[in-house]
Amino acid sequence: MAQTSRTFRTAVVLASASAALGLLTACGSGDEGADTPEAVAGTAAPMATDGGGESPAGSASPDGDPAGETPPSDSAKPADPSGSGSGATKSAGGTATERCHTSELRASVGPNHPGAGQENFSVVFTNTSGHTCTLRGYPGAAFADAGGEQVGSDPERTSGSPGTITLKPGAAAWAGLSFSNPEISGAKTATPAALLVTPPNERDSLTVDWKGGEVPVSGNSSRAKVSVLASGTGE
């Protein structure tokens, strides 16, 4: 009877050892049917968010970049704050500034500064409003008789690089208006009563009494020229 008990205990121990060995073999076999996830080098697991829809600071995003540190693309940049397309620009302080409208400006013509066979005047716009506004580009200009009819052709633009000019209340911008001396060019002339000038991007004109004498209206070198606007009065 004692011999039978020892034989039974030995069988139990051997069976337990065999089971343990089989378990260890199965865990480390690497069979294709195993459920162990495959590790892929160079990728990061999807992140859990912090509840606000964004990745926690300093965490790795699925593409491997630190979360929140990828610069936005151009398409993600904020749109124009004005949203109106009305020509608003931003000052150095980031405040939206509207362009100067005709009703906010006063126009004048500076004295003649002749030279090299040319008559040279300055067309000046002064900000008469109580707020800052901007001008950019070329003004429109046309000579007119006493009845308001245009005299001669529209001035042509000279070459130049337009820049945005910020006008505080009382500040001015100017553009050059020049034409060949009719006595030298031999062009047919007329004496306008007024100069009609239009600020850039505006439709309404300002009327300035013309005191510059005769202007060419046909023939050689009959067309006047206007330059891009610049800060100041041109004096």
Side-chain angles (χ1 to χ4, degrees), residues 108-114 119-126 165 167 170-178 227-235:
S108 59
V109 176
N112 186 13
H113 296 283
E119 310 301 316
N120 303 299
F121 299 85
S122 58
V123 177
V124 182
F125 292 104
T126 302
I165 303 168
L167 297 182
W174 72 284
L177 177 68
S178 62
S227 70
V228 70
L229 283 162
S231 297
T233 62
E235 295 296 327

Side-chain angles (χ1 to χ4, degrees), residues 78-82 87-98 134 164 166:
D80 178 3
S82 67
T89 59
K90 277 193 174 184
S91 65
T95 304
T97 303
E98 291 285 341
T134 62
T164 300
T166 301

